[in-house]
């Protein structure tokens, strides 16, 4: 219940505000509307891909936590509640990282819900396991477990290692997807084109000297069009 509550709001914010491209780009490129009609974003292959991704993330979390267990045992924080809380914490971190990774268009709501998710989890750890009254009522063995983990180095190694491994795996899979998925290549080219045009517009407004080194060289056809316009 607590995991669903803590992690639901960042996911809902992504569903409400995330956009592959802006409204203007979508209107200027009607072929993008074929994605929904052809089922490119929601089909059996995409569902299977999401399931394999979830299993992969779970295996990475379990492997890192399992490798940290001997060190946690030496420090006396390897009991069921301590190790379970460590895995649960890493799971919350991974979920929020995954939301941030998948979202194309972050705004104050998407970022705010991710921050709120972490803050609510920290509040939960302080109020529930670290308060004698609540711990005695619901789970006496959880009393001060978060404090024991905070002063444990293996716990922090898990918190850092899991997102680091996830980023490398997800970036590699994203690279493969952009190489072999035609729709992703089209979207990547559109974003690149929009950024080039926006960058050249800013450069022209400011004289061009301070921004030219940030721009990707225009195609030959675009260069000729700019010369004709000028």
């Amino acid at each position: 219940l607590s995991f669903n509550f803590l992690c639901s709001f960042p996911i809902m914010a992504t569903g409400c505000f995330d956009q592959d491209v802006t409204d203007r780009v979508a209107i200027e490129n009607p072929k993008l509307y074929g994605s929904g009609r052809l089922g490119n974003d929601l089909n059996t292959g995409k569902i299977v891909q999401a399931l394999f991704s979830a299993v992969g993330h779970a295996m990475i979390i379990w492997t890192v936590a399992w490798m940290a267990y001997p060190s946690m045992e030496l420090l006396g924080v390897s009991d069921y509640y301590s190790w379970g809380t460590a895995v649960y914490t890493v799971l919350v971190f991974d979920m929020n990282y995954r939301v941030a990774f998948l979202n194309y268009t972050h705004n104050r709501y998407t970022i705010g819900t991710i921050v709120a998710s972490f803050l609510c989890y920290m509040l939960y750890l302080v109020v529930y396991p670290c308060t004698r009254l609540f711990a005695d009522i619901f789970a006496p063995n959880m009393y001060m477990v978060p404090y024991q983990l905070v002063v444990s180095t293996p716990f922090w190694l898990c918190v850092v290692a899991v997102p680091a491994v996830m980023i490398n795996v997800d970036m590699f899979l994203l690279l493969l997807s952009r190489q072999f998925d035609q729709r992703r290549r089209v979207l990547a080219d559109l974003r690149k084109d929009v950024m080039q045009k926006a960058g050249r517009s800013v450069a022209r407004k400011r004289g061009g000297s301070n921004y030219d080194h940030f721009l990707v060289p225009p195609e030959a056809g675009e260069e000729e069009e700019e010369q004709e316009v000028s």
Side-chain angles (χ1 to χ4, degrees), residues 50-89:
L51 289 175
F52 273 105
S53 175
V55 172
H57 278 241
M59 291 302 297
I60 292 174
I61 292 173
W62 180 85
T63 301
V64 172
W66 175 74
M67 293 178 67
Y69 182 82
S71 298
M72 297 177 69
E73 187 176 22
L74 289 175
L75 297 175
V77 288
S78 61
D79 60 279
Y80 171 83
Y81 293 95
S82 299
W83 193 76
T85 302
V87 174
Y88 187 93
T89 302

mmCIF file of all heavy atoms in Angstrom, residues 50-89:
data_model
loop_
_atom_site.group_PDB
_atom_site.id
_atom_site.type_symbol
_atom_site.label_atom_id
_atom_site.label_comp_id
_atom_site.label_asym_id
_atom_site.label_seq_id
_atom_site.Cartn_x
_atom_site.Cartn_y
_atom_site.Cartn_z
ATOM 1 N N ALA A 50 8.129 -4.031 -21.959
ATOM 2 C CA ALA A 50 7.995 -3.424 -20.632
ATOM 3 C C ALA A 50 8.129 -4.473 -19.528
ATOM 4 O O ALA A 50 8.739 -4.216 -18.486
ATOM 5 C CB ALA A 50 6.651 -2.707 -20.518
ATOM 6 N N LEU A 51 7.579 -5.665 -19.766
ATOM 7 C CA LEU A 51 7.696 -6.730 -18.768
ATOM 8 C C LEU A 51 9.142 -7.174 -18.598
ATOM 9 O O LEU A 51 9.622 -7.369 -17.470
ATOM 10 C CB LEU A 51 6.821 -7.923 -19.182
ATOM 11 C CG LEU A 51 5.304 -7.721 -19.083
ATOM 12 C CD1 LEU A 51 4.568 -8.934 -19.641
ATOM 13 C CD2 LEU A 51 4.881 -7.473 -17.641
ATOM 14 N N PHE A 52 9.862 -7.325 -19.705
ATOM 15 C CA PHE A 52 11.274 -7.701 -19.611
ATOM 16 C C PHE A 52 12.086 -6.603 -18.921
ATOM 17 O O PHE A 52 13.025 -6.891 -18.167
ATOM 18 C CB PHE A 52 11.843 -7.974 -21.009
ATOM 19 C CG PHE A 52 11.646 -9.387 -21.470
ATOM 20 C CD1 PHE A 52 10.683 -9.697 -22.412
ATOM 21 C CD2 PHE A 52 12.421 -10.407 -20.943
ATOM 22 C CE1 PHE A 52 10.501 -11.007 -22.832
ATOM 23 C CE2 PHE A 52 12.245 -11.714 -21.356
ATOM 24 C CZ PHE A 52 11.277 -12.027 -22.314
ATOM 25 N N SER A 53 11.736 -5.350 -19.182
ATOM 26 C CA SER A 53 12.424 -4.247 -18.519
ATOM 27 C C SER A 53 12.200 -4.297 -17.011
ATOM 28 O O SER A 53 13.137 -4.111 -16.216
ATOM 29 C CB SER A 53 11.936 -2.907 -19.076
ATOM 30 O OG SER A 53 12.509 -1.820 -18.377
ATOM 31 N N ALA A 54 10.954 -4.565 -16.594
ATOM 32 C CA ALA A 54 10.646 -4.647 -15.168
ATOM 33 C C ALA A 54 11.403 -5.803 -14.513
ATOM 34 O O ALA A 54 11.951 -5.666 -13.411
ATOM 35 C CB ALA A 54 9.140 -4.824 -14.970
ATOM 36 N N VAL A 55 11.444 -6.950 -15.194
ATOM 37 C CA VAL A 55 12.169 -8.104 -14.649
ATOM 38 C C VAL A 55 13.662 -7.796 -14.570
ATOM 39 O O VAL A 55 14.334 -8.135 -13.584
ATOM 40 C CB VAL A 55 11.918 -9.350 -15.522
ATOM 41 C CG1 VAL A 55 12.821 -10.500 -15.090
ATOM 42 C CG2 VAL A 55 10.462 -9.778 -15.440
ATOM 43 N N GLY A 56 14.190 -7.118 -15.594
ATOM 44 C CA GLY A 56 15.608 -6.749 -15.578
ATOM 45 C C GLY A 56 15.948 -5.815 -14.436
ATOM 46 O O GLY A 56 16.967 -6.004 -13.743
ATOM 47 N N HIS A 57 15.100 -4.828 -14.208
ATOM 48 C CA HIS A 57 15.325 -3.904 -13.096
ATOM 49 C C HIS A 57 15.270 -4.649 -11.760
ATOM 50 O O HIS A 57 16.077 -4.391 -10.857
ATOM 51 C CB HIS A 57 14.290 -2.787 -13.130
ATOM 52 C CG HIS A 57 14.629 -1.691 -14.081
ATOM 53 N ND1 HIS A 57 14.834 -0.389 -13.671
ATOM 54 C CD2 HIS A 57 14.818 -1.685 -15.425
ATOM 55 C CE1 HIS A 57 15.126 0.368 -14.719
ATOM 56 N NE2 HIS A 57 15.117 -0.404 -15.787
ATOM 57 N N ALA A 58 14.303 -5.546 -11.639
ATOM 58 C CA ALA A 58 14.177 -6.308 -10.393
ATOM 59 C C ALA A 58 15.412 -7.172 -10.155
ATOM 60 O O ALA A 58 15.898 -7.273 -9.019
ATOM 61 C CB ALA A 58 12.921 -7.183 -10.450
ATOM 62 N N MET A 59 15.938 -7.783 -11.209
ATOM 63 C CA MET A 59 17.123 -8.629 -11.056
ATOM 64 C C MET A 59 18.346 -7.806 -10.660
ATOM 65 O O MET A 59 19.169 -8.258 -9.853
ATOM 66 C CB MET A 59 17.390 -9.377 -12.360
ATOM 67 C CG MET A 59 16.350 -10.444 -12.687
ATOM 68 S SD MET A 59 16.206 -11.706 -11.390
ATOM 69 C CE MET A 59 17.854 -12.422 -11.426
ATOM 70 N N ILE A 60 18.460 -6.590 -11.218
ATOM 71 C CA ILE A 60 19.592 -5.732 -10.846
ATOM 72 C C ILE A 60 19.486 -5.323 -9.382
ATOM 73 O O ILE A 60 20.479 -5.347 -8.637
ATOM 74 C CB ILE A 60 19.636 -4.500 -11.761
ATOM 75 C CG1 ILE A 60 20.008 -4.915 -13.197
ATOM 76 C CG2 ILE A 60 20.644 -3.474 -11.243
ATOM 77 C CD1 ILE A 60 19.929 -3.795 -14.201
ATOM 78 N N ILE A 61 18.298 -4.959 -8.944
ATOM 79 C CA ILE A 61 18.098 -4.580 -7.543
ATOM 80 C C ILE A 61 18.429 -5.753 -6.625
ATOM 81 O O ILE A 61 19.148 -5.603 -5.618
ATOM 82 C CB ILE A 61 16.652 -4.106 -7.316
ATOM 83 C CG1 ILE A 61 16.405 -2.774 -8.040
ATOM 84 C CG2 ILE A 61 16.360 -3.947 -5.822
ATOM 85 C CD1 ILE A 61 14.968 -2.315 -7.999
ATOM 86 N N TRP A 62 17.924 -6.931 -6.960
ATOM 87 C CA TRP A 62 18.178 -8.102 -6.122
ATOM 88 C C TRP A 62 19.667 -8.454 -6.096
ATOM 89 O O TRP A 62 20.213 -8.770 -5.033
ATOM 90 C CB TRP A 62 17.378 -9.295 -6.653
ATOM 91 C CG TRP A 62 17.578 -10.540 -5.835
ATOM 92 C CD1 TRP A 62 16.921 -10.901 -4.691
ATOM 93 C CD2 TRP A 62 18.543 -11.579 -6.082
ATOM 94 N NE1 TRP A 62 17.404 -12.107 -4.216
ATOM 95 C CE2 TRP A 62 18.399 -12.546 -5.056
ATOM 96 C CE3 TRP A 62 19.502 -11.783 -7.074
ATOM 97 C CZ2 TRP A 62 19.175 -13.683 -5.000
ATOM 98 C CZ3 TRP A 62 20.282 -12.932 -7.019
ATOM 99 C CH2 TRP A 62 20.114 -13.864 -5.999
ATOM 100 N N THR A 63 20.322 -8.373 -7.246
ATOM 101 C CA THR A 63 21.743 -8.734 -7.317
ATOM 102 C C THR A 63 22.599 -7.785 -6.480
ATOM 103 O O THR A 63 23.474 -8.218 -5.719
ATOM 104 C CB THR A 63 22.230 -8.720 -8.781
ATOM 105 O OG1 THR A 63 21.446 -9.645 -9.546
ATOM 106 C CG2 THR A 63 23.696 -9.106 -8.870
ATOM 107 N N VAL A 64 22.348 -6.477 -6.606
ATOM 108 C CA VAL A 64 23.131 -5.501 -5.841
ATOM 109 C C VAL A 64 22.884 -5.677 -4.345
ATOM 110 O O VAL A 64 23.824 -5.668 -3.540
ATOM 111 C CB VAL A 64 22.786 -4.065 -6.293
ATOM 112 C CG1 VAL A 64 23.442 -3.038 -5.374
ATOM 113 C CG2 VAL A 64 23.223 -3.831 -7.733
ATOM 114 N N ALA A 65 21.624 -5.863 -3.957
ATOM 115 C CA ALA A 65 21.308 -6.039 -2.537
ATOM 116 C C ALA A 65 21.908 -7.343 -2.009
ATOM 117 O O ALA A 65 22.405 -7.393 -0.874
ATOM 118 C CB ALA A 65 19.793 -6.032 -2.333
ATOM 119 N N TRP A 66 21.876 -8.403 -2.821
ATOM 120 C CA TRP A 66 22.455 -9.686 -2.400
ATOM 121 C C TRP A 66 23.969 -9.577 -2.227
ATOM 122 O O TRP A 66 24.532 -10.144 -1.285
ATOM 123 C CB TRP A 66 22.104 -10.749 -3.433
ATOM 124 C CG TRP A 66 22.735 -12.083 -3.166
ATOM 125 C CD1 TRP A 66 22.384 -12.994 -2.208
ATOM 126 C CD2 TRP A 66 23.848 -12.646 -3.871
ATOM 127 N NE1 TRP A 66 23.196 -14.097 -2.281
ATOM 128 C CE2 TRP A 66 24.108 -13.915 -3.296
ATOM 129 C CE3 TRP A 66 24.629 -12.215 -4.940
ATOM 130 C CZ2 TRP A 66 25.133 -14.747 -3.746
ATOM 131 C CZ3 TRP A 66 25.648 -13.039 -5.395
ATOM 132 C CH2 TRP A 66 25.892 -14.288 -4.799
ATOM 133 N N MET A 67 24.634 -8.838 -3.120
ATOM 134 C CA MET A 67 26.082 -8.667 -3.009
ATOM 135 C C MET A 67 26.444 -7.809 -1.793
ATOM 136 O O MET A 67 27.538 -7.944 -1.239
ATOM 137 C CB MET A 67 26.631 -8.038 -4.289
ATOM 138 C CG MET A 67 26.519 -8.933 -5.517
ATOM 139 S SD MET A 67 27.111 -8.141 -7.032
ATOM 140 C CE MET A 67 28.858 -8.004 -6.663
ATOM 141 N N ALA A 68 25.542 -6.926 -1.380
ATOM 142 C CA ALA A 68 25.814 -6.079 -0.209
ATOM 143 C C ALA A 68 25.507 -6.785 1.101
ATOM 144 O O ALA A 68 25.925 -6.313 2.168
ATOM 145 C CB ALA A 68 24.990 -4.793 -0.301
ATOM 146 N N TYR A 69 24.807 -7.917 1.020
ATOM 147 C CA TYR A 69 24.367 -8.585 2.250
ATOM 148 C C TYR A 69 25.522 -8.997 3.176
ATOM 149 O O TYR A 69 25.436 -8.775 4.395
ATOM 150 C CB TYR A 69 23.512 -9.800 1.903
ATOM 151 C CG TYR A 69 22.982 -10.528 3.109
ATOM 152 C CD1 TYR A 69 21.835 -10.084 3.761
ATOM 153 C CD2 TYR A 69 23.648 -11.645 3.615
ATOM 154 C CE1 TYR A 69 21.351 -10.737 4.873
ATOM 155 C CE2 TYR A 69 23.176 -12.303 4.737
ATOM 156 C CZ TYR A 69 22.033 -11.852 5.360
ATOM 157 O OH TYR A 69 21.562 -12.499 6.473
ATOM 158 N N PRO A 70 26.612 -9.605 2.667
ATOM 159 C CA PRO A 70 27.705 -9.986 3.586
ATOM 160 C C PRO A 70 28.272 -8.803 4.361
ATOM 161 O O PRO A 70 28.563 -8.920 5.563
ATOM 162 C CB PRO A 70 28.753 -10.595 2.651
ATOM 163 C CG PRO A 70 27.978 -11.087 1.473
ATOM 164 C CD PRO A 70 26.883 -10.089 1.296
ATOM 165 N N SER A 71 28.434 -7.651 3.688
ATOM 166 C CA SER A 71 28.943 -6.467 4.393
ATOM 167 C C SER A 71 27.948 -5.968 5.420
ATOM 168 O O SER A 71 28.330 -5.544 6.523
ATOM 169 C CB SER A 71 29.261 -5.364 3.382
ATOM 170 O OG SER A 71 30.270 -5.770 2.475
ATOM 171 N N MET A 72 26.660 -6.026 5.079
ATOM 172 C CA MET A 72 25.638 -5.616 6.037
ATOM 173 C C MET A 72 25.608 -6.556 7.234
ATOM 174 O O MET A 72 25.363 -6.139 8.375
ATOM 175 C CB MET A 72 24.272 -5.559 5.349
ATOM 176 C CG MET A 72 24.191 -4.526 4.235
ATOM 177 S SD MET A 72 22.606 -4.527 3.360
ATOM 178 C CE MET A 72 21.524 -3.877 4.638
ATOM 179 N N GLU A 73 25.873 -7.827 6.974
ATOM 180 C CA GLU A 73 25.898 -8.797 8.064
ATOM 181 C C GLU A 73 27.034 -8.515 9.038
ATOM 182 O O GLU A 73 26.875 -8.635 10.256
ATOM 183 C CB GLU A 73 26.032 -10.206 7.489
ATOM 184 C CG GLU A 73 25.902 -11.307 8.529
ATOM 185 C CD GLU A 73 25.942 -12.678 7.898
ATOM 186 O OE1 GLU A 73 26.466 -12.801 6.768
ATOM 187 O OE2 GLU A 73 25.460 -13.633 8.540
ATOM 188 N N LEU A 74 28.186 -8.104 8.500
ATOM 189 C CA LEU A 74 29.318 -7.770 9.365
ATOM 190 C C LEU A 74 29.006 -6.574 10.258
ATOM 191 O O LEU A 74 29.518 -6.482 11.382
ATOM 192 C CB LEU A 74 30.555 -7.473 8.510
ATOM 193 C CG LEU A 74 31.207 -8.668 7.806
ATOM 194 C CD1 LEU A 74 32.339 -8.189 6.907
ATOM 195 C CD2 LEU A 74 31.729 -9.681 8.827
ATOM 196 N N LEU A 75 28.173 -5.652 9.738
ATOM 197 C CA LEU A 75 27.832 -4.452 10.505
ATOM 198 C C LEU A 75 26.594 -4.646 11.367
ATOM 199 O O LEU A 75 26.147 -3.700 12.031
ATOM 200 C CB LEU A 75 27.621 -3.274 9.535
ATOM 201 C CG LEU A 75 28.848 -2.862 8.715
ATOM 202 C CD1 LEU A 75 28.488 -1.773 7.712
ATOM 203 C CD2 LEU A 75 29.972 -2.372 9.637
ATOM 204 N N GLY A 76 26.003 -5.823 11.322
ATOM 205 C CA GLY A 76 24.850 -6.092 12.170
ATOM 206 C C GLY A 76 23.544 -5.522 11.652
ATOM 207 O O GLY A 76 22.616 -5.308 12.448
ATOM 208 N N VAL A 77 23.441 -5.278 10.354
ATOM 209 C CA VAL A 77 22.193 -4.748 9.785
ATOM 210 C C VAL A 77 21.694 -5.672 8.672
ATOM 211 O O VAL A 77 21.181 -5.216 7.648
ATOM 212 C CB VAL A 77 22.389 -3.316 9.238
ATOM 213 C CG1 VAL A 77 22.554 -2.325 10.359
ATOM 214 C CG2 VAL A 77 23.576 -3.258 8.287
ATOM 215 N N SER A 78 21.832 -6.974 8.897
ATOM 216 C CA SER A 78 21.421 -7.946 7.879
ATOM 217 C C SER A 78 20.144 -8.688 8.246
ATOM 218 O O SER A 78 19.785 -9.668 7.597
ATOM 219 C CB SER A 78 22.544 -8.965 7.655
ATOM 220 O OG SER A 78 22.811 -9.678 8.868
ATOM 221 N N ASP A 79 19.459 -8.253 9.310
ATOM 222 C CA ASP A 79 18.222 -8.925 9.691
ATOM 223 C C ASP A 79 17.141 -8.684 8.649
ATOM 224 O O ASP A 79 17.286 -7.881 7.729
ATOM 225 C CB ASP A 79 17.757 -8.428 11.064
ATOM 226 C CG ASP A 79 17.492 -6.932 11.074
ATOM 227 O OD1 ASP A 79 18.486 -6.174 11.197
ATOM 228 O OD2 ASP A 79 16.334 -6.529 10.923
ATOM 229 N N TYR A 80 16.051 -9.387 8.795
ATOM 230 C CA TYR A 80 14.951 -9.331 7.827
ATOM 231 C C TYR A 80 14.453 -7.908 7.607
ATOM 232 O O TYR A 80 14.253 -7.475 6.467
ATOM 233 C CB TYR A 80 13.816 -10.233 8.318
ATOM 234 C CG TYR A 80 12.540 -10.120 7.530
ATOM 235 C CD1 TYR A 80 12.363 -10.820 6.340
ATOM 236 C CD2 TYR A 80 11.493 -9.323 7.988
ATOM 237 C CE1 TYR A 80 11.188 -10.717 5.622
ATOM 238 C CE2 TYR A 80 10.306 -9.220 7.280
ATOM 239 C CZ TYR A 80 10.158 -9.915 6.090
ATOM 240 O OH TYR A 80 8.992 -9.807 5.380
ATOM 241 N N TYR A 81 14.283 -7.159 8.678
ATOM 242 C CA TYR A 81 13.706 -5.820 8.578
ATOM 243 C C TYR A 81 14.706 -4.821 7.994
ATOM 244 O O TYR A 81 14.335 -3.965 7.182
ATOM 245 C CB TYR A 81 13.217 -5.351 9.951
ATOM 246 C CG TYR A 81 12.055 -6.159 10.456
ATOM 247 C CD1 TYR A 81 12.262 -7.243 11.306
ATOM 248 C CD2 TYR A 81 10.753 -5.854 10.079
ATOM 249 C CE1 TYR A 81 11.192 -8.005 11.763
ATOM 250 C CE2 TYR A 81 9.674 -6.600 10.533
ATOM 251 C CZ TYR A 81 9.905 -7.677 11.364
ATOM 252 O OH TYR A 81 8.855 -8.433 11.817
ATOM 253 N N SER A 82 15.958 -4.925 8.374
ATOM 254 C CA SER A 82 16.963 -3.986 7.861
ATOM 255 C C SER A 82 17.231 -4.213 6.378
ATOM 256 O O SER A 82 17.228 -3.274 5.581
ATOM 257 C CB SER A 82 18.267 -4.128 8.660
ATOM 258 O OG SER A 82 18.070 -3.824 10.018
ATOM 259 N N TRP A 83 17.477 -5.470 6.010
ATOM 260 C CA TRP A 83 17.757 -5.772 4.612
ATOM 261 C C TRP A 83 16.531 -5.490 3.740
ATOM 262 O O TRP A 83 16.640 -4.964 2.643
ATOM 263 C CB TRP A 83 18.181 -7.232 4.468
ATOM 264 C CG TRP A 83 18.782 -7.539 3.125
ATOM 265 C CD1 TRP A 83 20.031 -7.222 2.684
ATOM 266 C CD2 TRP A 83 18.142 -8.235 2.052
ATOM 267 N NE1 TRP A 83 20.221 -7.677 1.404
ATOM 268 C CE2 TRP A 83 19.071 -8.305 0.988
ATOM 269 C CE3 TRP A 83 16.883 -8.809 1.881
ATOM 270 C CZ2 TRP A 83 18.776 -8.930 -0.226
ATOM 271 C CZ3 TRP A 83 16.585 -9.432 0.681
ATOM 272 C CH2 TRP A 83 17.523 -9.483 -0.363
ATOM 273 N N GLY A 84 15.349 -5.824 4.266
ATOM 274 C CA GLY A 84 14.125 -5.552 3.516
ATOM 275 C C GLY A 84 13.891 -4.063 3.315
ATOM 276 O O GLY A 84 13.469 -3.630 2.238
ATOM 277 N N THR A 85 14.178 -3.271 4.343
ATOM 278 C CA THR A 85 14.031 -1.818 4.206
ATOM 279 C C THR A 85 15.030 -1.254 3.205
ATOM 280 O O THR A 85 14.713 -0.337 2.441
ATOM 281 C CB THR A 85 14.215 -1.130 5.569
ATOM 282 O OG1 THR A 85 13.263 -1.656 6.495
ATOM 283 C CG2 THR A 85 14.020 0.379 5.445
ATOM 284 N N ALA A 86 16.237 -1.810 3.182
ATOM 285 C CA ALA A 86 17.239 -1.368 2.202
ATOM 286 C C ALA A 86 16.765 -1.654 0.782
ATOM 287 O O ALA A 86 16.869 -0.804 -0.109
ATOM 288 C CB ALA A 86 18.572 -2.051 2.478
ATOM 289 N N VAL A 87 16.242 -2.856 0.558
ATOM 290 C CA VAL A 87 15.735 -3.213 -0.775
ATOM 291 C C VAL A 87 14.546 -2.335 -1.145
ATOM 292 O O VAL A 87 14.433 -1.866 -2.282
ATOM 293 C CB VAL A 87 15.344 -4.705 -0.813
ATOM 294 C CG1 VAL A 87 14.687 -5.055 -2.141
ATOM 295 C CG2 VAL A 87 16.570 -5.580 -0.582
ATOM 296 N N TYR A 88 13.675 -2.094 -0.203
ATOM 297 C CA TYR A 88 12.503 -1.248 -0.445
ATOM 298 C C TYR A 88 12.937 0.175 -0.807
ATOM 299 O O TYR A 88 12.381 0.798 -1.724
ATOM 300 C CB TYR A 88 11.633 -1.232 0.816
ATOM 301 C CG TYR A 88 10.314 -0.529 0.661
ATOM 302 C CD1 TYR A 88 9.168 -1.231 0.321
ATOM 303 C CD2 TYR A 88 10.198 0.842 0.886
ATOM 304 C CE1 TYR A 88 7.942 -0.589 0.191
ATOM 305 C CE2 TYR A 88 8.987 1.488 0.757
ATOM 306 C CZ TYR A 88 7.865 0.774 0.412
ATOM 307 O OH TYR A 88 6.666 1.416 0.288
ATOM 308 N N THR A 89 13.938 0.695 -0.114
ATOM 309 C CA THR A 89 14.438 2.046 -0.402
ATOM 310 C C THR A 89 15.012 2.126 -1.808
ATOM 311 O O THR A 89 14.745 3.075 -2.553
ATOM 312 C CB THR A 89 15.514 2.435 0.633
ATOM 313 O OG1 THR A 89 14.953 2.375 1.944
ATOM 314 C CG2 THR A 89 16.030 3.840 0.361
#
